[in-house]
Amino acid sequence: MSPARPDSDSKPKVGVYVCHCGINIAAKVDIADTVAFASQLPHVTAAKEYKFMCSDPGQDIIQKDLRSGLIDRVVVASCSPLMHEPTFRRAMLEGGGNPFLFQMANIREHVSWVTKEKAAGTAKARALIAAAVERVVLHQPLQKTSVPVHPDVLVVGGGIAGIHAALTIADAGKKVYLVEREPTIGGHMAKFDKTFPTLDCSACILTPKMSAVRSHPNITLWSHSEVTGVDGYVGNFKVKVTRKARYIDEEKCVGCLECIEACVFKKGKTDDEFNLGLVKRKPVYVPFPQATPLVAVIDPKSCIEFKTHKCPKNCVEVCEPKAIDFTQTDRTEEINVGAVVLATGFKAFDARRISRYGYGKYPGVYTSLEVERLVNAAGPTGGEIIMTNGEKPKAVGIVHCVGSRDEKTNRYCSRVCCMYSLKLAHLVKERTNAEVYNFYIDMRTPGKGYEEFYEKLLHENVHFIRGRVAEVSDWAMTAEEKGKLIIRVEDTLIGVVRRIPVDMIILSVGLEPQPDADDVRRLFNISCSREGWFLERHPKLAPVSTFTEGIFIAGACQGPKDIPDSVAQAGAAAAEALALIDRGRVEIEPNTAYVTDELCSGCHTCSNICPYSAIVFNEETEKASVNGALCKGCGTCVAACPSGALQQNLFTDEQIFQEIKGVVSYV
Ligand SMILES: Cc1cc2nc3c(=O)[nH]c(=O)nc-3n(C[C@H](O)[C@H](O)[C@H](O)COP(=O)(O)OP(=O)(O)OC[C@H]3O[C@@H](n4cnc5c(N)ncnc54)[C@H](O)[C@@H]3O)c2cc1C
Ligand code: SF4
Ligand code: SF4
């Protein structure tokens, strides 16, 4: 619906408030000059300055002027609206004004931070303020609406972050759907034997949380499932979850694992994904003994019955509860939730991408994740470090920063690799008494107890060589190097190129965004950083919120992090989701599109183009209209409408042209 036109008799009274932002703005903009300029602009009835407009005394200045009737519209010339538009709108409301008779001129990011000369900065600040004044004069007094919030929450990803978020929300009495792509929850942490820096047993601390998820009355766990559709808006998301066929009825399976034993395959023939292909699994399997849910899954790609329909089906024979069902198909569940926590984690860097380290070429070269499985008591070698040639290594090289801090792969630091390299160095030393060499660029151990862990390693006869490894080869130059893998590295502490012969190499692979992070981002309409990590609304002040209200992020999907940080962030995301749910209603911003009926020609352009399905088409009247709750104010339809029937509150053509006029009149 179109907003009411302003009362033609009432003359706008605009207050302009210029912020110094300490010296952030004041160093590059002549504040006194700018205020004097603003005071001369048409409709301006007050022009003032203050050191920090966002502070309480700064807001008081605006509120006093509003209450006294000196002004009824406000322009604040300060920083980015992303940061403080809500602050000033709230101040206007508390001061008795309409919060939408407000405009910000960004003279920090757009002026002082990008301008060298004060004269140029001042001139640009003048133009932006003039534009804001021209625009705010045309603003309408808008009202927010509110809608009820659905009390259930969706958590996507069942690693430690998703598990912790789900349990926190469920413990607060809310219903949670936990959707995990793999047949089991646990994520990467389930693969580890010990965790740095305390070396406590990963399974001992993770398994109780996994079983708490399984038995929690408020948690519906859907493993082997993926979100395939999301509609709606904050407080009212409609989500489609595809539950992939397991070919085993979850309700009936008791987790006795008799089917695996009885399977016609006496030995596994397919790479075991959970053990990173270090061993083989059968077509019917559970990923690991503590898998949650402990329900077997049949892989149709390797199961003979799916290929030939001629398997004697020993598994069906032995399954007492008759849980095996080869006719099962994928099915889709539809749920309504008020908030979503995304905790989809990371993927380890593919070591094949750096061919000079010989991964995939030399059997003695392993990735850190593979070695996590080797040192694990429940892993393929029962915790013994035995290489594919059946031998225990006598010398082991650990290469740090593989796929991190490297212009050719990822420039960022993966944050956990130094620490897990130290952990693996300790475990390898403990289990094999081998000579262990760490090759590092520089050691990054900034967490609680991390530096102490490094110190401990320095006293465990582990070697530390500072320098990026140039290459790994098997070209022996001496008798000592024969049959070994040779690490060539410049030891930058002594300025010498060294050749270190070893039996085993562990590549400390970095952390990367999940390969489908961009698809998940699109599904939930959030943003990703340049590297592909889910983007937080503000790196310091809103680290678990996204730019889409009601969608929160936790754990390594937001960027590389260790377990303590993932858990802390999951707790924060859960708290944000709970706060939203507990409010009961959410306010909808009024910057939505609206149709002027008389101009609408019924061409359907808008309804076909709206990315949020916010446009309703009335077949009888042949007119479009906008559902304000669904409209996100992206403006796509406004730009596309060939009849000019669509306009958007706070972004009408008139307002935008007037703003442009304001800028060009004063440059
Ligand atoms: C070799 C290695 C050793 C490490 N050792 C330690 C250590 O000792 N101590 C420590 O503090 N940290 C350690 N870390 C870091 C640790 O792994 C992470 O901090 C932790 O796993 C992050 O948890 P997460 O839940 O965010 O992500 P993940 O553990 O990656 O879990 C994400 C989950 O989401 C699921 N998922 C992904 N996409 C979807 C989707 N679209 N739909 C549904 N589900 C999805 C995944 O299947 C997975 O179960 C180590 C990392 C590595 C690589
Ligand atoms: S499918 Fe049947 S045999 Fe296999 S684990 Fe489940 S209950 Fe046991
Ligand atoms: S502005 Fe138009 S295209 Fe964008 S969400 Fe609203 S109705 Fe849809």
Side-chain angles (χ1 to χ4, degrees), residues 592-593 606 609-615 626 630-638 646 648:
T592 48
C606 55
I609 211 171
C610 174
Y612 303 101
S613 310
I615 296 185
V626 177
L630 291 177
C631 174
K632 297 254 196 302
C634 68
T636 309
C637 58
V638 181
L646 271 151
Q648 189 182 337

Side-chain angles (χ1 to χ4, degrees), residues 16-18 29 34-35 37-38 41 44 75-77 105 107 124-135 662:
V16 177
Y17 301 88
V18 184
V29 174
T34 313
V35 172
F37 165 80
L41 292 170
V44 172
V75 168
V76 175
I107 61 166
K124 190 172 174 192
R126 280 173 165 224
L128 292 184
I129 290 170
V133 170
E134 292 281 352
R135 185 188 215 286

Side-chain angles (χ1 to χ4, degrees), residues 370-385:
E370 289 167 345
V371 177
E372 289 285 354
R373 294 308 299 149
L374 289 184
V375 295
N376 196 307
T381 53
E384 288 212 55
I385 301 174

Side-chain angles (χ1 to χ4, degrees), residues 353-425:
R353 281 169 59 195
I354 308 183
S355 56
R356 64 181 191 278
Y357 291 160
Y359 181 75
K361 181 177 176 193
Y362 303 120
V365 181
Y366 292 78
T367 68
S368 46
L369 261 185
E370 289 167 345
V371 177
E372 289 285 354
R373 294 308 299 149
L374 289 184
V375 295
N376 196 307
T381 53
E384 288 212 55
I385 301 174
I386 298 169
M387 300 188 300
T388 39
N389 61 8
E391 289 178 10
K392 275 192 180 183
K394 295 190 185 69
V396 178
I398 303 181
V399 182
H400 291 215
C401 295
V402 176
S404 310
R405 304 177 65 197
D406 180 353
E407 298 235 326
K408 295 203 181 85
T409 55
N410 297 307
R411 294 179 68 179
Y412 56 82
C413 165
S414 288
R415 285 186 60 188
V416 292
C417 320
C418 279
M419 280 304 291
Y420 79 57
S421 299
L422 294 176
K423 171 183 77 174
L424 292 176

Side-chain angles (χ1 to χ4, degrees), residues 253-299:
C253 176
V254 292
C256 64
L257 313 187
E258 295 284 340
C259 51
I260 303 175
E261 191 56 40
C263 176
V264 291
F265 282 85
K266 291 301 155 218
K267 280 186 169 172
K269 287 205 169 154
T270 308
D271 277 353
D272 178 352
E273 297 85 351
F274 187 78
N275 283 303
L276 304 139
L278 291 170
V279 278
K280 305 282 180 191
R281 62 155 171 81
K282 295 184 181 181
V284 55
Y285 68 101
V286 289
F288 61 106
Q290 298 93 344
T292 304
L294 190 58
V295 173
V297 52
I298 295 178
D299 168 12

